[in-house]
Amino acid sequence: MEKLVVVGNGMAGIACVEQILRHAPKFNITIFGDETHVNYNRILLSSVLAGEKSIEEITLNGLNWYQQHDIALRLGVRITDVDAGAKTVTGDDGSVTGFDKLLLATGSLPVIPSIQDVMKDGVFVFRNLDDTRSLLERARPGLKAVVIGGGLLGLEAARGLQVQGCDVTVVHLMETLMERQLDVTGGSYLANKMNELGITVLLGLSTTAILGKGKVERVQFKGGGTIPADLVVIAAGIRPNIELGQKAGLDTKRGIVVNDYMETSNPDVFAVGECVQHNGICYGLVAPLLEQGKVLAATITGNKGPKYEGTVLASKLKIMGVDVFSAGEIGDKVDGSEVIRYEDPSLGIYKKLTLKASKLTGVILVGDTSDSHRYMEWLRSGTDLASMRRQLLFPDTGGDAGMDVAKISDNETVCGCMGVTKGVIVHAIHERGVNTLAQLKECTKASTGCGSCTELCQQLLKAVAPEFEEESRKVLCKCVPFAEDNLREIVRSQRLKSVQEVLDIYGNGQGCEVCKPALSYMLDMLWCGDHDEDRSARFINDRVHANIQKDGTFSVIPRIRGGVTSAAELRRIADVAEKYRVPLVKITGSQRIDLLGVKKSDLPKVWADLGMTSGQAYTKGVRMVKTCVGTDFCRFGTQDSTSAGIELERRLENLFTPHKLKMAVVGCPRNCAEATVKDIGLVGQEGSWQVVVGGAAGKKVRKADLLITVETTEQALDASGIFFQYYRENANYLERTYDFVERIGIEKVRKETVYAAEPQKQALRGRLHKSKARSRDAWLERNEPRTATQFVQIEMMDGVLV
Amino acid sequence: MKNETKWIRVTYAHNIPLREGRAVRIAESEIAIFNLGGRFLAVENRCPHREGPLAEGIVSGTTVVCPLHAWKFNLENGQGVSPASSAHCVRSFRTRVEDNVIWLELPANFFTESQALLGCMEQQAEGATEACSVARV
């Protein structure tokens, strides 16, 4: 085996190593990365800054990947020198490592313009995970942020900072935003969009100095003008990092020069990614990395043959609500080419196609990028468009978004970043049982790059997969158009603590009866009471802790744990029923007692007289634990189901859940309390408990799945708690456990709960305990109402007659 | 029908929490008053569908959603918003706030004929909409 040393643990280096691993084993691989994080998706850093993704979510290769492939990973070590003659590299930790083959994937460095005092405290670059973390730590609502650079990265950083609450100004040297991707008109449409978002755009301004005592206070421009700034982000472009290439004595120009086989001037030293220059071009995008990696992998493993012939440049701005796509030629002044334009200033839509000899050579889309895939395919394939001239801008499909997936040919690329064709996706669906986007990502890597093909992948899944599960991407509602798992991540990472805050920043500012209760739940689950609980966002039942009836009165169901009550309790219930003239007293199906027809203004008094706690029968929360008699009295009982049920209820009561949650504990498999059709059920048998989940006997009847079989009652309670918290954290609002378990799959549920690694289980337990510690009996509000009129009927000031 | 109206004092503004509603009993009827942040809007507290108490509903922008079956009404004019297919509406009333007190404008005959005034006959009389022909009399 030869020794391969890879310098650079980024997307290019690792994509290339992944390709090398597809060939016959030839190398012992060592990878050096100067960042301390495993390989992550760098293009999604702006999504992390904007709170749309967590750091974990953008990880591409976890530590286990390196282990699986026997790769020695050296994180946090910067290679400072290469000796091409001795075939060694030297790290900043003093280590010297020998190699047979060296792969340089050193990427690029941010360009720092010559600005006076540019290193002042409060000035950041935005290039890697540490930069993103620093920005997230520094950004605070109300801070004035100035982003120097109006390219892709600068604009994405600007939006990210704005989402963090900063007051953002983008300063751009050129007269057009994203001038490398857009023409003047496109740039002005984009500038309008940014202004609409509330981001100030200053064009044609050269920044000359950072002013301030000790830390940044103002930014100064050529001509002397200044603007205030608490924090400055430099996003003025990138340049290939060729230092090691030069030290290795390679041919370099702007980048390390490589030929079509991805060879440098030294047969034992290779380079890939943003640090190379091929055919005069240095690429700063993802798609070329993968194409280069494939070719390089063939060459380095002795399978030389495939050639790299350049990549059509395409870029997409990743700002929610600002759709910009650009590919190929953008200028108007190319000989013999013609330009087709469409503009709608009110809608903010601008489209421009550049054609030469009936072939598409360039495209700019602002405001509506739904056709970008179609144009990209025309660019890549060089399709002759002569017969389609009338449909270039307005496809005659009459369809909704873009194109009919059936019309895409099998060898067309769907995911440009990862080079995945439709054929590969369809194959994965048919042959490997792929049904969800998550599975598709895992199986084919499609849609794991910039994410712009996600919609198309969804359409393909929908069209081809027999059991496509759309729920996973369904947005909460049109007021806040994000999927719930996205929203949870947003709320968590942005530390949003009120429903109105979420609606203001990520939604329409208003909300409705669908999203408000869902967001209320989400905040409660994530912050366990350490948030601003906005009662106006909750359903009436959760404002007054009782269930509204058809006549506007309420029903009161006190908690009777495990269905076990006492003579004293029953006497108090009877007294209350008489005192408040309760029209109906009824035994419920859940082994409890319901007092129906109570007036809102009587609720606090009723609760006080009952002297019992809330049974949460009005809310999406822990309802009850139904029990059978168990060993104490039953001659068949094998477990003490009553005590176990009371303890289970005590541990989980007062907590909220995505939908109502019903439980039961039975002492033997005769199942008298119907545990196998409950959300969580414990079924006792001789010497063990079965913990079952996802059962239902309501709108739907479903037998619960076995989660785990355990020996002791404590283990059964623990398993229930772990599943309970997992459901709380991962289910969509109003998703019962039986839908949740079916959607996730019981195998995965088991793997991520009771069969998860101990630290994961401990984390679930920890969060459950924290929530539980902060939860309380809602009926205590009888003593301290949230508002003066929470339960009080308002009387008219002027009396009855005026 | 007489067009004379009367302004009456109802309650303190702080009695109605932000983005919530409260019902106030006036003569034989209940009127629901909502706090939309500096602005108070009032409608009859009775959904034309199954008489749900609108004051207990969730506010969405300038609409309220009935807590019983999610019928939705525009608080500014009482017009039904959803279900879109059915013709329905509730009576709306003008309000103003003076010295932290909410005032409500009622027809002068409200106290004598309040049962007859449920629904949105007034708006119909003004030719506002055909949709209100379901108003109770």
Side-chain angles (χ1 to χ4, degrees):
Chain A
M1 297 281 261
E2 288 188 89
K3 277 190 287 184
L4 170 65
V5 167
V6 181
V7 181
N9 185 38
M11 296 177 80
I14 300 304
C16 187
V17 170
E18 283 188 323
Q19 293 298 325
I20 290 172
L21 291 171
R22 293 187 174 197
H23 293 269
K26 186 169 159 52
F27 296 111
N28 283 321
I29 304 174
T30 302
I31 299 176
F32 288 93
D34 62 351
E35 289 189 62
T36 52
H37 200 276
V38 288
N39 181 34
Y40 59 88
N41 191 334
R42 193 181 301 277
I43 40 179
L44 292 181
L45 283 177
S46 52
S47 303
V48 173
L49 187 61
E52 291 154 12
K53 292 241 185 317
S54 68
I55 289 172
E56 292 74 43
E57 271 180 286
I58 67 165
T59 298
L60 287 174
N61 303 75
L63 277 177
N64 55 349
W65 177 83
Y66 297 87
Q67 284 159 3
Q68 264 168 29
H69 295 100
D70 282 328
I71 294 169
L73 177 63
R74 304 285 309 281
L75 289 179
V77 179
R78 176 185 297 273
I79 296 302
T80 52
D81 203 4
V82 180
D83 186 332
K87 291 192 153 185
T88 59
V89 295
T90 307
D92 63 356
D93 59 346
S95 65
V96 177
T97 310
F99 63 81
D100 296 308
K101 295 271 192 274
L102 177 65
L103 173 57
L104 296 176
T106 47
S108 50
L109 297 169
V111 171
I112 310 289
S114 60
I115 296 172
Q116 194 188 326
D117 278 336
V118 75
M119 300 311 284
K120 205 181 276 293
D121 180 35
V123 182
F124 297 84
V125 291
F126 181 43
R127 180 70 197 147
N128 61 32
L129 205 47
D130 287 338
D131 301 335
T132 312
R133 283 202 185 101
S134 312
L135 274 171
L136 281 171
E137 274 166 28
R138 194 68 165 249
R140 289 281 170 275
L143 284 193
K144 291 193 182 341
V146 173
V147 176
I148 298 175
L152 270 174
L153 194 65
L155 294 176
E156 290 177 5
R159 174 58 174 162
L161 289 168
Q162 194 205 21
V163 168
Q164 300 296 333
C166 297
D167 185 1
V168 185
T169 303
V170 173
V171 179
H172 195 43
L173 181 64
M174 314 301 281
E175 292 291 346
T176 301
L177 286 178
M178 285 177 62
E179 78 283 350
R180 293 180 59 176
Q181 289 90 15
L182 299 180
D183 61 356
V184 175
T185 315
S188 69
Y189 270 81
L190 173 57
N192 284 341
K193 294 262 177 197
M194 298 307 287
N195 281 325
E196 280 169 17
L197 280 182
I199 292 171
T200 309
V201 176
L202 302 177
L203 296 169
L205 270 186
S206 165
T207 308
T208 53
I210 307 291
L211 310 177
K213 292 193 193 81
K215 63 181 277 296
V216 55
E217 287 169 15
R218 302 188 78 79
V219 172
Q220 187 173 52
F221 307 116
K222 195 172 179 178
T226 68
I227 57 170
D230 302 306
L231 102 88
V232 173
V233 176
I234 305 227
I238 53 172
R239 63 184 167 82
N241 181 5
I242 58 171
E243 192 191 339
L244 291 180
Q246 288 167 329
K247 285 186 172 162
L250 305 180
D251 261 1
T252 58
K253 286 181 180 160
R254 190 171 141 76
I256 299 168
V257 177
V258 295
N259 64 16
D260 288 357
Y261 299 102
M262 298 303 295
E263 293 165 317
T264 68
S265 55
N266 180 332
D268 292 324
V269 181
F270 294 81
V272 70
E274 292 182 350
C275 62
V276 308
Q277 174 170 346
H278 172 264
N279 209 3
I281 302 173
C282 298
Y283 293 95
L285 300 162
V286 189
L289 309 184
L290 199 92
E291 295 173 22
Q292 291 177 356
K294 277 185 187 162
V295 173
L296 199 157
T299 306
I300 201 170
T301 54
N303 300 295
K304 188 167 166 180
K307 284 180 168 186
Y308 177 63
E309 287 162 334
T311 305
V312 177
L313 286 175
S315 24
K316 189 177 162 106
L317 186 66
K318 289 183 298 303
I319 299 182
M320 200 76 66
V322 183
D323 296 322
V324 176
F325 175 83
S326 157
E329 296 285 339
I330 56 151
D332 291 345
K333 304 274 187 287
V334 185
D335 282 347
S337 63
E338 47 184 339
V339 170
I340 299 163
R341 279 196 194 83
Y342 168 78
E343 282 187 56
D344 187 325
S346 294
L347 290 179
I349 296 176
Y350 174 63
K351 301 182 181 190
K352 175 171 128 175
L353 305 182
T354 309
L355 274 73
K356 192 169 183 179
S358 284
K359 288 182 181 166
L360 189 65
T361 57
V363 53
I364 291 174
L365 305 172
V366 181
D368 174 9
T369 56
S370 53
D371 286 327
S372 60
H373 177 81
R374 195 163 61 112
Y375 295 136
M376 199 58 209
E377 199 49 46
W378 286 349
L379 271 175
R380 280 204 198 98
S381 62
T383 306
D384 187 299
L385 301 173
S387 62
M388 290 191 259
R389 283 303 290 253
R390 282 176 176 278
Q391 282 92 42
L392 292 183
L393 282 170
F394 305 100
D396 61 353
T397 54
D400 29 21
M403 60 193 308
D404 186 356
V405 289
K407 286 187 188 155
I408 306 175
S409 72
D410 273 0
N411 52 16
E412 274 187 33
T413 304
V414 170
C415 174
C417 294
M418 297 299 157
V420 184
T421 61
K422 177 188 169 189
V424 169
I425 291 176
V426 171
H427 179 81
I429 294 171
H430 285 324
E431 304 300 321
R432 302 178 66 179
V434 165
N435 274 321
T436 65
L437 186 65
Q439 291 167 347
L440 185 68
K441 282 178 172 179
E442 202 174 305
C443 188
T444 65
K445 293 238 162 193
S447 173
T448 56
C450 71
S452 63
C453 64
T454 305
E455 184 58 33
L456 195 58
C457 289
Q458 294 273 14
Q459 286 176 26
L460 271 169
L461 278 164
K462 203 171 173 178
V464 185
E467 291 161 30
F468 174 55
E469 292 162 23
E470 203 169 8
E471 286 85 344
S472 56
R473 72 171 192 115
K474 225 169 81 182
V475 300
L476 175 54
C477 91
K478 59 181 192 301
C479 305
V480 249
F482 293 86
E484 285 184 54
D485 41 358
N486 271 355
L487 270 174
R488 277 193 291 273
E489 192 42 48
I490 286 172
V491 169
R492 188 152 58 105
S493 63
Q494 304 303 299
R495 307 194 65 75
L496 299 176
K497 300 270 180 107
S498 79
V499 170
Q500 199 55 40
E501 232 179 344
V502 181
L503 289 170
D504 284 342
I505 299 176
Y506 288 94
N508 64 1
Q510 299 188 342
C512 70
E513 78 281 9
V514 175
C515 57
K516 280 181 163 184
L519 291 171
S520 298
Y521 167 72
M522 206 177 276
L523 289 164
D524 180 86
M525 184 272 290
L526 287 168
W527 305 123
C528 344
D530 181 22
H531 65 286
D532 168 22
E533 193 215 334
D534 180 357
R535 281 288 161 84
S536 77
R538 307 194 69 173
F539 187 57
I540 180 62
N541 288 9
D542 281 307
R543 295 183 191 172
V544 298
H545 316 303
N547 195 355
I548 193 164
Q549 305 297 306
K550 60 184 284 188
D551 61 353
T553 63
F554 292 86
S555 96
V556 171
I557 300 183
R559 192 163 293 287
I560 299 180
R561 294 188 192 98
V564 176
T565 179
S566 67
E569 253 178 15
L570 290 172
R571 199 166 285 126
R572 289 204 302 274
I573 291 171
D575 288 343
V576 164
E578 284 183 352
K579 180 172 173 188
Y580 298 95
R581 296 166 196 271
V582 174
L584 180 66
V585 182
K586 190 180 178 309
I587 307 285
T588 72
S590 300
Q591 298 184 341
R592 311 207 278 189
I593 295 174
D594 194 352
L595 304 169
L596 291 131
V598 179
K599 289 205 291 282
K600 183 165 83 172
S601 51
D602 283 339
L603 289 172
K605 291 175 280 182
V606 165
W607 299 336
D609 289 354
L610 283 173
M612 297 164 78
T613 59
S614 160
Q616 289 185 287
Y618 47 82
T619 192
K620 310 305 174 204
V622 173
R623 290 290 171 89
M624 83 304 175
V625 181
K626 193 170 177 176
T627 65
C628 69
V629 176
T631 43
D632 273 9
F633 287 91
C634 178
R635 64 199 159 99
F636 299 113
T638 56
Q639 292 282 1
D640 183 358
S641 50
T642 319
S643 306
I646 290 172
E647 180 57 21
L648 181 60
E649 188 159 348
R650 195 186 298 278
R651 287 191 189 187
L652 303 180
E653 68 189 14
N654 296 333
L655 288 167
F656 293 105
T657 39
H659 206 307
K660 63 183 170 189
L661 188 110
K662 299 182 165 191
M663 296 174 280
V665 180
V666 293
C668 81
R670 286 174 188 76
N671 197 21
C672 292
E674 298 121 13
T676 54
V677 287
K678 293 287 183 279
D679 293 292
I680 298 177
L682 304 191
V683 181
Q685 46 201 21
E686 203 61 55
S688 68
W689 288 99
Q690 284 189 337
V691 181
V692 296
V693 297
K699 202 155 44 174
K700 184 170 167 184
V701 179
R702 181 178 192 271
K703 185 173 185 295
D705 294 313
L706 177 67
L707 184 70
I708 191 169
T709 303
V710 293
E711 283 178 13
T712 67
T713 306
E714 181 50 42
Q715 287 170 333
L717 294 171
D718 179 55
S720 306
I722 290 174
F723 171 80
F724 175 81
Q725 182 65 13
Y726 177 77
Y727 166 61
R728 267 164 51 87
E729 293 178 5
N730 294 287
N732 293 327
Y733 192 63
L734 299 187
E735 183 176 37
R736 285 292 294 267
T737 59
Y738 49 84
D739 289 325
F740 174 69
V741 168
E742 279 194 359
R743 172 166 70 86
I744 305 289
I746 186 66
E747 280 316 311
K748 187 172 177 202
V749 169
R750 300 172 94 191
K751 221 161 70 186
E752 298 192 343
T753 56
V754 290
Y755 291 105
E758 195 50 40
Q760 278 161 270
K761 285 197 279 189
Q762 203 48 42
L764 283 165
R765 286 186 198 109
R767 291 192 293 270
L768 173 60
H769 291 158
K770 193 172 160 201
S771 291
K772 176 65 184 170
R774 295 197 184 184
S775 69
R776 47 177 255 153
D777 168 27
W779 288 358
L780 290 174
E781 275 181 17
R782 62 176 175 262
N783 300 322
E784 37 193 48
R786 284 284 295 243
T787 60
T789 55
Q790 184 177 1
F791 303 107
V792 176
Q793 170 71 45
I794 295 181
E795 294 302 332
M796 189 174 61
M797 259 180 178
D798 279 345
V800 178
L801 292 168
V802 184
Chain B
M1 188 183 293
K2 280 193 271 179
N3 284 331
E4 285 168 33
T5 64
K6 209 171 226 183
W7 283 92
I8 60 163
R9 300 191 306 153
V10 180
T11 190
Y12 289 112
H14 61 244
N15 276 336
I16 303 178
L18 180 60
R19 292 186 293 273
E20 285 190 40
R22 288 289 183 269
V24 184
R25 176 160 289 280
I26 299 176
E28 298 294 304
S29 332
E30 277 192 3
I31 289 179
I33 304 180
F34 295 86
N35 176 353
L36 269 70
R39 208 152 70 98
F40 292 84
L41 299 179
V43 298
E44 169 194 352
N45 187 31
R46 181 163 153 170
C47 179
H49 174 220
R50 297 275 173 85
E51 305 185 3
L54 296 178
E56 317 279 31
I58 287 178
V59 170
S60 167
T62 56
T63 65
V64 68
V65 183
C66 177
L68 295 194
H69 307 98
W71 282 33
K72 194 183 256 192
F73 300 89
N74 187 340
L75 293 170
E76 286 176 320
N77 55 20
Q79 266 304 318
V81 177
S82 73
S85 56
S86 67
H88 59 282
C89 52
V90 290
R91 185 109 190 255
S92 63
F93 303 91
R94 289 207 291 169
T95 64
R96 67 169 196 260
V97 179
E98 263 172 41
D99 297 333
N100 192 36
V101 171
I102 300 170
W103 291 69
L104 195 56
E105 185 191 38
L106 296 172
N109 59 0
F110 188 84
F111 295 92
T112 51
E113 296 174 43
S114 58
Q115 279 307 313
L117 285 166
L118 287 170
C120 39
M121 293 170 59
E122 191 114 313
Q123 287 154 17
Q124 189 188 19
E126 288 163 7
T129 168
E130 276 293 298
C132 295
S133 53
V134 293
R136 257 173 288 268
V137 180

